[in-house]
Amino acid sequence: MIDKRGVRLSLALAALAVLPAALAHHSFRSQYDADQPITVTGYVTKIDWMNPHVYFYIDVENADTGEIESWGFEMGPPHMLQNRGWKRNTMQIGNEVEVHGTRARDGSLTANARRVMMTATGEVLGAASSEGQTITGGSEGD
């Protein structure tokens, strides 16, 4: 005979085991505003190549004030970026990059990078963690 309390306890423990991962992942729309596309050019200051998403940071000169702003960009997970042509060392500290992305809803200097161009070589790579992206970073049907 099956112990129903034991089954319920096992299911509850399994749910608790996956809960942190489920809470840590966010939907694109909850964090980024598709109506706020941005394009910035700057110099890479930091790269965090890790799961669940790769992040990189660039210093950008504000065209209005002339001040340097530090922007943070989220990309997809390492395995997805590798499938799109990225390598761990594609982007280096000090590289100048042009980034097309979608700004964070909270107005902070953070965004989801959709497309990254290495300005020294002109190489363009898709980067977004959102669905429906092509290799060059555009949406399907562009």
Side-chain angles (χ1 to χ4, degrees), residues 3 29 40 62 67 83 85 87 101 105 107 137 139:
D3 177 14
R29 288 188 177 148
V40 295
N62 182 305
E67 293 182 16
N83 289 341
K87 295 182 178 97
R105 288 189 176 279
S139 297

Side-chain angles (χ1 to χ4, degrees), residues 38 57-58 62 68-73 103-104 106-111:
I38 61 156
Y57 304 85
I58 65 174
N62 182 305
I68 301 298
E69 300 174 335
S70 182
W71 280 79
F73 291 92
R103 191 158 187 181
D106 65 8
S108 64
L109 300 180
T110 57

